[in-house]
Amino acid sequence: MTGGVDRPGREGRSLRLGRLAVIGVGLIGGSLARALRAAGCVERITGIGRSAENLRTAERLGIIDDWSHDVAAVEGADTIVVAVPMGAYDQVFSALELHARSDAVITDVGSTKQHALDTAARYLTAPGRFVAGHPIAGTEDSGAAASFVGLFRGATVVLTPGAAVEQEAVRRVEAMWRVVGASPCFMDAAEHDRLMAAVSHLPHLAAFAIVNAVTAEGRAPEMLRFAAGGFRDFTRIASSSPTMWRDIALTNREALVAQIDALQAQLTGMRQAVVEGDGARLAALFQCAKRVRDDWLHRSDS
């Protein structure tokens, strides 16, 4: 899905991000580049990444104007977006310290904000220009070809700026997300990581685990022949990037382990009820989950 190109709105005409460098032109980085170009608030977009094929695709689709494998290509950029797996942050931020302009605003889209802030503080002499962010948006697809202009419309973007951040940098990043249709909010980085461990990181691990559990005996074709909509819906996110989710799990390990323990406690309770034939207990556990989910959906739709 590539989407269309929107007309720039009033906010897009007034916001000036100058030259934009996107490090990691995948689903998130590519969609943000598309949306900012459509809004008319960037002059030129440079894509930086490892895959020449992906970068050529991004150039062919008009997502970027030029590309490089070298982070040094950020030289001259006014705004820099880091959209790489969390495991690449050390390499990227050490290079940004060498090549980014001292007045460039740097932001990211990573899923674990404490790690992002710690990395920026470790490598950047001026960490006040870095505004950590996380758009709560995405699909299970990856790469520039999967990006589309409307990915962030209506999405929440969590900003977790550090204590020493410059307010002008915060305002620019907040305006950047508003112009692509997102709703920025502010949160403590540790609180963000705890929340994401529960509602994002754990579900992805559970989806990977379910697929592995069902196909553990080496009978995947036979077993999956009988899988229907429920299995497909539940495991959709198991098609997400293994590299990205490995890095998210490892950089948010403390909060994620607590959630894995909570899930295991629930599964242990259900297993015991099944073993004991305790239908009343099973029904109560299922009813509790149904009520919480139905209430959530009702609030989301209203």
Side-chain angles (χ1 to χ4, degrees), residues 274-296:
V274 171
V275 168
E276 296 174 356
D278 191 342
R281 185 179 178 190
L282 276 179
L285 290 169
F286 297 164
Q287 182 60 40
C288 177
K290 173 178 167 52
R291 182 174 62 253
V292 170
R293 187 176 189 276
D294 289 350
D295 288 347
W296 167 59

Side-chain angles (χ1 to χ4, degrees), residues 54-132:
N54 183 66
L55 290 165
R56 289 192 190 103
T57 297
E59 187 176 33
R60 176 175 54 80
L61 293 173
I63 300 171
I64 57 177
D65 298 298
D66 56 84
W67 57 270
S68 173
H69 294 307
D70 194 343
V71 177
V74 300
E75 291 179 350
D78 302 284
T79 308
I80 301 168
V81 176
V82 178
V84 300
M86 304 304 301
Y89 269 46
D90 283 87
Q91 180 182 353
V92 167
F93 276 86
S94 62
L96 287 176
E97 171 60 18
L98 295 175
H99 301 291
R101 277 175 24 194
S102 60
D103 62 343
V105 171
I106 304 171
T107 189
D108 80 316
V109 297
S111 293
T112 55
K113 301 326 308 172
Q114 291 178 99
H115 180 75
L117 288 172
D118 290 347
T119 306
R122 188 159 57 250
Y123 290 106
L124 301 181
T125 3
R129 304 295 290 175
F130 174 63
V131 183

Side-chain angles (χ1 to χ4, degrees), residues 176-193:
M176 178 190 78
W177 284 114
R178 289 195 186 281
V179 83
V180 300
S183 299
C185 69
F186 292 87
M187 188 181 295
D188 173 74
E191 178 64 12
H192 165 276
D193 290 357

Side-chain angles (χ1 to χ4, degrees), residues 235-246:
T235 61
R236 174 185 62 82
I237 52 179
S239 292
S240 301
S241 164
T243 300
M244 179 181 77
W245 282 100
R246 174 203 65 194

